[in-house]
Amino acid sequence: YNPPCPANCPCKTYDCSSTQWTKRCGFSEGFCDMMTKTPPEYKINYIRVYQDPENEKHKVGCSTPERPTRKYILAHEDVYKTEDDVHPLKGIQVGRGPCTPGIMGNSSEACGGVSRGTCTKGGVCECKQGWTGAHCLAHRGYDDIVWDAPDTIFDLGFQWPALAPHFLVMALCSLGAIMLTATTFKRHMDGWMTLT
């Protein structure tokens, strides 16, 4: 999401270190100030990945069987989070970004504009259907193929013994037969008789 080039700005050279207005005017407001901070901080609204769904080597998705990204990040989560983070992977925020009621346009202050979201009286964005992100600036997309199934006990290397299912069935049948025999024997010893 790039803002339009300002009037009288060539938008051909981008240099935050330059003192010439023509080399800095194409950047979004505050971008160069953010880059000079130590260390710079970024807020990522969305990531666009291009893959060919017809090519077998390309699997559309972020965590495929060949590259289980989610599991890798969870196994090395200290590398992917700051001191303030509880978990490295966070859900996508839908709205709730700060905004200014009454602002028009497609900026984050206007929640992406009238087609994407609205700014509530409380000063937070509410996204319309099909839009997501704190300021409703990204298309709400999904991957209809779930490559990365939820974790199970088998992901830890646990395997049932090969004879376990057969042994369980035989044990349950034997237990049932013993219970039936014991109940019949008890009735017989107590003097119960089956009515015909």
Side-chain angles (χ1 to χ4, degrees), residues 10-196:
C11 290
K12 291 186 179 176
T13 305
Y14 297 88
D15 184 2
C16 281
S17 302
S18 176
T19 56
Q20 295 178 13
W21 181 80
T22 56
K23 293 185 178 180
R24 294 175 57 103
C25 62
F27 288 113
S28 298
E29 185 179 336
F31 181 82
C32 289
D33 294 334
M34 176 196 65
M35 292 302 292
T36 57
K37 278 186 180 179
T38 307
E41 294 181 9
Y42 306 95
K43 185 182 261 186
I44 299 172
N45 208 8
Y46 65 91
I47 296 172
R48 188 174 290 167
V49 178
Y50 295 95
Q51 293 173 308
D52 181 4
E54 304 298 323
N55 186 338
E56 288 183 18
K57 293 182 181 178
H58 292 195
K59 289 194 172 151
V60 180
C62 294
S63 194
T64 61
E66 294 82 9
R67 293 174 180 85
T69 309
R70 182 186 63 84
K71 291 180 183 179
Y72 181 85
I73 291 172
L74 289 175
H76 303 89
E77 62 180 31
D78 289 342
V79 179
Y80 293 95
K81 64 181 186 177
T82 65
E83 295 172 0
D84 301 329
D85 292 331
V86 176
H87 300 290
L89 298 175
K90 298 176 181 76
I92 296 172
Q93 183 175 334
V94 181
R96 300 187 317 273
C99 59
T100 306
I103 296 267
M104 301 303 288
N106 293 338
S107 68
S108 60
E109 287 289 312
C111 302
V114 294
S115 64
R116 297 178 181 186
T118 55
C119 185
T120 66
K121 290 179 183 176
V124 294
C125 293
E126 284 185 0
C127 298
K128 294 189 177 178
Q129 187 172 358
W131 295 94
T132 191
H135 297 100
C136 312
L137 298 176
H139 284 280
R140 185 181 191 98
Y142 65 93
D143 188 359
D144 51 356
I145 300 172
V146 179
W147 296 108
D148 192 12
D151 294 331
T152 66
I153 193 167
F154 299 107
D155 291 331
L156 301 174
F158 178 80
Q159 292 182 353
W160 292 102
L163 298 176
H166 301 293
F167 176 75
L168 267 164
V169 170
M170 289 174 40
L172 287 174
C173 289
S174 299
L175 185 62
I178 291 169
M179 293 292 290
L180 185 61
T181 305
T183 304
T184 305
F185 184 72
K186 180 162 176 34
R187 285 183 181 175
H188 182 66
M189 295 302 285
D190 290 344
W192 288 22
M193 294 180 15
T194 306
L195 296 174
T196 54

